[in-house]
Amino acid sequence: MPSFDTRVPAVLLRTDRNPFHHGTLGAVRSLGRAGIDVHLVADSTGSPVRGSRFVCRMHPPPAPGAPPSEIAATLRRVAARVGRPAVLIPMDDAGAVAVDRLRAELAPRFLLPLAPAGLAERVADKAELAAVCASAGLPHPETLVPDGPAQAASAARRLGLPVVAKWSRPWLLPAGSDLRSTTVLTSAEEARTLYRRAEEAGSRLLLQAFLAPGPDQDWFFHGYVDRSGAVRGGGTGRKQLAWPRGAGLTAVGRWTPNPAVLALAERLVAQLGYRGILDLDFRRDGTTGAYHLLDFNPRPGAQFRLFADGAGLDVVRALHLDLTHRPLPSPVPLPGRTFVVENYAPLSAAFRRGTELAWHARDDLAPGAALWALWSRHVGRRAVRRHVRPTTPPPQLTPLSDDEKASSH
């Protein structure tokens, strides 16, 4: 295992209220196993994560949709309780954007990568990402941002139906709303109607050309960009099973070398000057073979533990080592390694060499034990809601980041 500075604790910030975010548990375990004190700022109500023996202390999170000033106040209280500088790791896009805005105010209480100011917000915004890809020369689905209901209908017809509709800043969607971050529309009238809800959604509506899903077409890249600009602690992976099927989060992922995806990721971060952890989602165009970037998440992805390598390195460990000026070990890739989220893919969760489960771990039994009772109640409540609701939301047929998809379920 690398040599960590265990005097420096880690603070994980999660503003989203999703109790089944397995990426948070992965970060708690990874850092805790390295002997680092892990403070978790998150809603612990009904979450299996709170039972992990690697959580040093839970802290109340800011209110849902809190402005940066309230997030700053929350983090100041956490810093006072921790009592020493800590590595701060946002675990969702809202937290990453807020921390980027608050960078000057949070120093020196927290250690953060020196990324260009405003870049996290720029890449997390789905509409801005289209412009980023255009300037960097990266494939991206054709994207139009209408400025009225009639223009939305016209844009849908121009792109060709079906068309993908996205809210540019999905972290602003109101809790409990039937609005989805991403929806596939089958008519121009649907685009017109959806646009009228832009004020409720809190961000711009954008329409994208539809890339049909298919076997071996959904890929992702996780990595950490260190102070020198080198990409460390991650790799390229292939989504083997999604939940819901064909469109949802990664239920089973496999570490699969893909030089084309890796080259696109390295080129993009070099051109942007990005520093820190990132999670990129790609879809391969079945017609042209090009890999289109769909999402850029400026924080750890939910399945980042897939890329725990033979040197004991993953993206959150790489971040802690780098920010505490410790050497990062040379990577030891483990292609073929598999990551399974067992509540979404129970039949794939049988133990086999090279597989990591999202919830169950022999050295941390409580979260896995708590999962099934909580998950059963969650599924039961959803079944009741579907029974009494006359209609169901349109299917998601294009990838979101895994965190956004998990939060919608």
Side-chain angles (χ1 to χ4, degrees), residues 309-397:
D309 74 5
L313 197 66
D314 60 30
V315 295
V316 299
R317 288 184 172 188
L319 171 70
H320 194 281
L321 288 166
D322 191 43
L323 295 185
T324 56
H325 299 272
R326 294 293 178 114
L328 277 70
S330 299
V332 182
L334 298 175
R337 178 173 159 81
T338 303
F339 184 81
V340 177
V341 187
E342 55 268 40
N343 51 317
Y344 299 124
L347 298 181
S348 300
F351 177 80
R352 61 182 182 272
R353 187 176 179 83
T355 296
E356 178 162 335
L357 301 181
W359 295 102
H360 291 77
R362 293 179 179 179
D363 64 344
D364 191 29
L365 296 174
L371 170 68
W372 291 114
L374 294 167
W375 183 250
S376 297
R377 290 198 293 270
H378 170 73
V379 172
R381 287 192 297 267
R382 287 181 56 82
V384 170
R385 288 199 297 267
R386 282 196 298 267
H387 179 72
V388 300
R389 192 166 53 196
T391 59
T392 57
Q396 294 177 188
L397 296 179

Side-chain angles (χ1 to χ4, degrees), residues 11-15 41 62 66-76 86-107 109-121 124 171 274-277 298-300 319 323:
V11 173
L12 307 183
L13 171 66
R14 184 160 183 86
T15 65
V41 186
S69 59
E70 292 185 20
I71 295 175
T74 296
L75 291 174
R76 284 196 298 270
V87 171
L88 177 59
I89 308 177
M91 296 301 298
D92 56 22
D93 286 345
V97 169
V99 166
D100 184 47
R101 291 182 181 180
L102 298 167
R103 180 179 302 274
E105 184 175 349
L106 294 175
R109 298 179 182 94
F110 295 103
L111 308 181
L112 295 165
L114 293 176
L119 184 55
E121 188 166 7
W171 61 90
Y274 185 85
R275 298 293 185 271
I277 297 173
R299 39 75 185 167
L319 171 70
L323 295 185

Side-chain angles (χ1 to χ4, degrees), residues 9-367:
V11 173
L12 307 183
L13 171 66
R14 184 160 183 86
T15 65
D16 188 273
R17 290 305 197 252
N18 170 29
F20 297 106
H21 185 252
H22 48 275
T24 300
L25 179 59
V28 166
R29 284 173 170 166
S30 179
L31 296 168
R33 286 167 178 153
I36 297 164
D37 287 346
V38 181
H39 293 258
L40 179 56
V41 186
D43 183 8
S44 64
T45 305
S47 173
V49 179
R50 65 181 176 179
S52 173
R53 72 182 186 91
F54 296 111
V55 173
C56 176
R57 183 169 181 174
M58 297 288 305
H59 300 265
S69 59
E70 292 185 20
I71 295 175
T74 296
L75 291 174
R76 284 196 298 270
R77 288 193 294 270
V78 172
R81 290 171 183 166
V82 172
R84 48 196 165 134
V87 171
L88 177 59
I89 308 177
M91 296 301 298
D92 56 22
D93 286 345
V97 169
V99 166
D100 184 47
R101 291 182 181 180
L102 298 167
R103 180 179 302 274
E105 184 175 349
L106 294 175
R109 298 179 182 94
F110 295 103
L111 308 181
L112 295 165
L114 293 176
L119 184 55
E121 188 166 7
R122 185 181 174 205
V123 297
D125 186 302
K126 312 303 180 188
E128 293 294 329
L129 182 61
V132 168
C133 289
S135 63
L138 260 69
H140 184 77
E142 183 179 0
T143 300
L144 300 175
V145 183
D147 58 5
Q151 290 84 352
S154 175
R157 287 190 289 265
R158 173 182 162 183
L159 290 169
L161 297 167
V163 67
V164 178
K166 293 184 178 181
W167 298 107
S168 65
R169 300 187 174 195
W171 61 90
L172 298 179
L173 291 173
S177 169
D178 63 342
L179 290 170
R180 307 295 292 271
S181 174
T182 297
T183 308
V184 174
L185 307 180
T186 58
S187 73
E189 188 57 35
E190 287 179 338
R192 187 194 308 271
T193 300
L194 191 59
Y195 184 90
R196 295 192 177 104
R197 303 185 67 181
E199 184 175 355
E200 177 187 357
S203 65
R204 295 178 291 174
L205 179 72
L206 58 99
L207 300 176
Q208 283 185 348
F210 176 74
L211 296 178
D216 299 333
Q217 289 182 208
D218 288 331
W219 292 77
F220 46 86
F221 170 84
H222 293 204
Y224 171 70
V225 187
D226 68 16
R227 286 171 292 151
S228 71
V231 179
R232 311 291 295 273
T236 58
R238 179 168 54 88
K239 186 181 295 188
Q240 291 188 305
L241 182 65
W243 190 88
R245 287 183 179 276
L249 60 81
T250 301
V252 180
R254 186 176 180 86
W255 189 338
T256 307
N258 188 321
V261 169
L262 177 61
L264 290 172
E266 290 181 334
R267 191 172 92 206
L268 179 60
V269 299
Q271 290 190 9
L272 295 176
Y274 185 85
R275 298 293 185 271
I277 297 173
L278 71 158
D279 164 26
L280 308 179
D281 290 323
F282 293 86
R283 174 163 285 179
R284 182 176 178 273
D285 187 329
T287 302
T288 66
Y291 292 93
H292 290 247
L293 180 63
L294 302 182
D295 285 296
F296 188 131
N297 304 299
R299 39 75 185 167
Q303 75 273 30
F304 80 91
R305 282 289 302 168
L306 170 64
F307 302 108
D309 74 5
L313 197 66
D314 60 30
V315 295
V316 299
R317 288 184 172 188
L319 171 70
H320 194 281
L321 288 166
D322 191 43
L323 295 185
T324 56
H325 299 272
R326 294 293 178 114
L328 277 70
S330 299
V332 182
L334 298 175
R337 178 173 159 81
T338 303
F339 184 81
V340 177
V341 187
E342 55 268 40
N343 51 317
Y344 299 124
L347 298 181
S348 300
F351 177 80
R352 61 182 182 272
R353 187 176 179 83
T355 296
E356 178 162 335
L357 301 181
W359 295 102
H360 291 77
R362 293 179 179 179
D363 64 344
D364 191 29
L365 296 174

